[in-house]
Amino acid sequence: MAVVGAGPAGLLLSHLLTAAGVDCVVVEARSRAYVEARLRAGILEQPTVDLLRAAGVGERLDAQGLRHDGIHLQWPGERHRIDFPALTGRSVWVYGQTEVVKDLVAARLAAGAPLHFEVSDVAVHDVGTTSPRVSFTDAGGTARRLDADVVVGADGFHGICRPSIPAALARTWERGYPFAWLGVLAEVPPSTDELIYAWHPDGFALHSMRSPSISRLYVQVDATERIEDWPDERIWEALQTRLGLPGWTLGTGPVLEKSITGMRSFVSSPMRHGRLFLVGDAAHIVPPTGAKGLNLAVADVAVLAEALLEFFSSGSQTLLDGYEQRALDRVWRATHFSWWMTSMLHTSGDGFDARLQLAQLQQVVSSTAAATVLAENYTGLPHALVGGPR
């Protein structure tokens, strides 16, 4: 089997299959240093943590990850906590995607399994047949060919796998947002025990963290803003205003990194064409408000790994034939949740929308039923929402 892409989805899938005795080769255009350093998601759902532990790659997660049993919802003058265990019996963990990737790369190398970084000229061939293949040039300049039973595209939105599906079969759904997140990584201990999601007339703000000494913070900005127009002082001023609460102080410190990230929702179908299967960002993207991106990729992997193991052990394609529907059921649920959180917390300059957002926030913090819906989705739905292929 061939996997294109050494992000968390491709690495986890290859790890699960290799552990079960399936030969699997992973190819990645970037360097190991790059994939282990790129900042992405930082919140792991309960089902994601459970799977990583079961796969034998949860040791550092358990030692260094920060378990959070809730989040805070805030608007000017008020802050309310949503208690996840009380509502669902589940929690989430703060553990960066970079750390997950490091754990999976280390596990694959320790197993002596094929993992090629810095490859070029990657292409997939004959994916509509039962004999697909992947061609590439390795880091040493040697042209290689992988003949595989299955090819998995885990190469992200800009990868080569999704475009290899015939355009006549492809369908996409997309929603753009007129705002973006300006994020900073700051060398300062977090000023909160759990994440703060803050609605403010000036725009949304989020206080998160990466470790007991590193804070991760975001402010809503217009999608056309440039990072050069946001010196550190302006960022801290916006954060102080939007996260401010009587009796609470936001700590500040040196900004280590800062960037602006656009926001959109994107879902592509099919997620399977012949013997090519897509996972993660190759098939779908969600805005980061609901902390779903990495977790959705892991859910895809959980469903596809089960189907592939059935196929390689018995030859049955029953679960493979149901992969897309089982995956998309969860993708659309998570896409809705991410859209809902984004719509509830980001200001648009419309006074009517602002009143609706505040009414929604007040309902969530005052209604056990509404708070439970948020907690169930935030901590993670089951990886497969249906009993089998339909």
Side-chain angles (χ1 to χ4, degrees):
M1 194 184 87
V3 176
V4 181
L11 289 168
L12 179 58
L13 180 64
S14 63
H15 176 76
L16 294 171
L17 294 174
T18 298
V22 177
D23 291 333
C24 187
V25 180
V26 181
V27 297
E28 167 60 50
R30 303 285 192 169
S31 68
R32 178 182 177 183
Y34 179 89
V35 301
E36 290 185 342
R38 56 186 170 190
L39 285 174
R40 292 291 189 271
I43 303 295
L44 303 184
E45 298 172 350
Q46 181 82 59
T48 296
V49 171
D50 293 344
L51 181 57
L52 292 172
R53 287 171 172 165
V57 288
E59 183 176 352
R60 281 208 317 135
L61 164 61
D62 286 331
Q64 301 178 20
L66 306 175
R67 192 187 85 182
H68 283 195
D69 291 334
I71 59 172
H72 301 281
L73 295 180
Q74 177 177 315
W75 57 93
E78 296 192 39
R79 181 181 295 170
H80 301 266
R81 182 173 184 266
I82 305 297
D83 188 328
F84 293 156
L87 295 165
T88 68
R90 302 195 297 270
S91 301
V92 296
W93 275 255
V94 174
Y95 191 67
Q97 177 173 314
T98 53
E99 304 309 313
V100 174
V101 169
K102 289 175 186 176
D103 295 340
L104 290 168
V105 168
R108 186 152 188 83
L109 294 177
L115 173 56
H116 299 274
F117 288 107
E118 298 183 80
V119 304
S120 58
D121 305 318
V122 183
V124 296
H125 311 271
D126 302 325
V127 294
T129 74
T130 57
S131 301
R133 57 191 173 89
V134 176
S135 61
F136 65 97
T137 302
D138 67 21
T142 301
R144 292 176 174 262
R145 167 176 167 164
L146 299 174
D147 295 299
D149 294 305
V150 171
V151 174
V152 175
D155 52 345
F157 180 81
H158 298 289
I160 55 97
C161 288
R162 188 179 70 253
S164 70
I165 297 174
L169 302 178
R171 186 178 183 188
T172 61
W173 298 263
E174 190 164 6
R175 171 66 53 85
Y177 298 91
F179 40 77
W181 276 14
L182 190 159
V184 300
L185 198 68
E187 190 175 2
V188 57
S191 303
T192 175
D193 54 343
E194 295 167 336
L195 275 68
I196 303 171
Y197 286 79
W199 182 96
H200 191 275
D202 291 351
F204 168 75
L206 171 64
H207 189 325
S208 183
M209 63 282 293
R210 283 295 178 267
S211 74
S213 60
I214 301 294
S215 295
R216 186 74 166 149
L217 306 109
Y218 301 90
V219 291
Q220 174 189 342
V221 298
D222 190 85
T224 62
E225 289 278 3
R226 302 184 311 150
I227 197 67
E228 295 81 9
D229 296 328
W230 283 84
D232 295 356
E233 296 77 13
R234 184 184 179 191
I235 295 171
W236 284 118
E237 181 180 354
L239 286 165
Q240 295 278 10
T241 298
R242 300 182 195 187
L243 290 167
L245 195 73
W248 179 83
T249 301
L250 173 67
T252 62
V255 173
L256 306 176
E257 298 179 16
K258 58 183 175 181
S259 62
I260 293 179
T261 302
M263 303 181 69
R264 61 178 166 173
S265 300
F266 173 86
V267 180
S268 176
S269 178
M271 290 178 67
R272 181 247 179 115
H273 174 62
R275 289 289 180 86
L276 171 67
F277 296 83
L278 303 181
V279 294
D281 287 359
H284 44 74
I285 295 174
V286 291
T289 324
K292 290 288 153 269
L294 169 60
N295 295 293
L296 263 185
V298 170
D300 290 348
V301 165
V303 173
L304 183 56
E306 179 187 12
L308 287 170
L309 289 176
E310 178 191 65
F311 172 68
F312 286 119
S313 64
S314 69
S316 171
Q317 297 192 51
T318 301
L319 289 178
L320 281 182
D321 290 341
Y323 164 66
E324 177 176 33
Q325 187 60 60
R326 296 177 76 200
L328 281 178
D329 282 343
R330 195 180 196 277
V331 166
W332 278 113
R333 287 279 294 274
T335 298
H336 175 267
F337 176 69
S338 299
W339 166 84
W340 177 70
M341 287 281 286
T342 300
S343 301
M344 179 172 63
L345 289 162
H346 292 76
T347 56
S348 64
D350 185 308
F352 185 81
D353 281 351
R355 297 310 306 176
L356 292 178
Q357 290 169 326
L358 289 170
Q360 182 71 79
L361 285 163
Q362 290 165 346
Q363 181 186 36
V364 170
V365 302
S366 62
S367 164
T368 299
T372 300
V373 169
L374 187 153
E376 285 178 343
N377 283 273
Y378 198 98
T379 59
L381 301 171
H383 284 153
L385 298 183
V386 294
R390 299 184 300 184

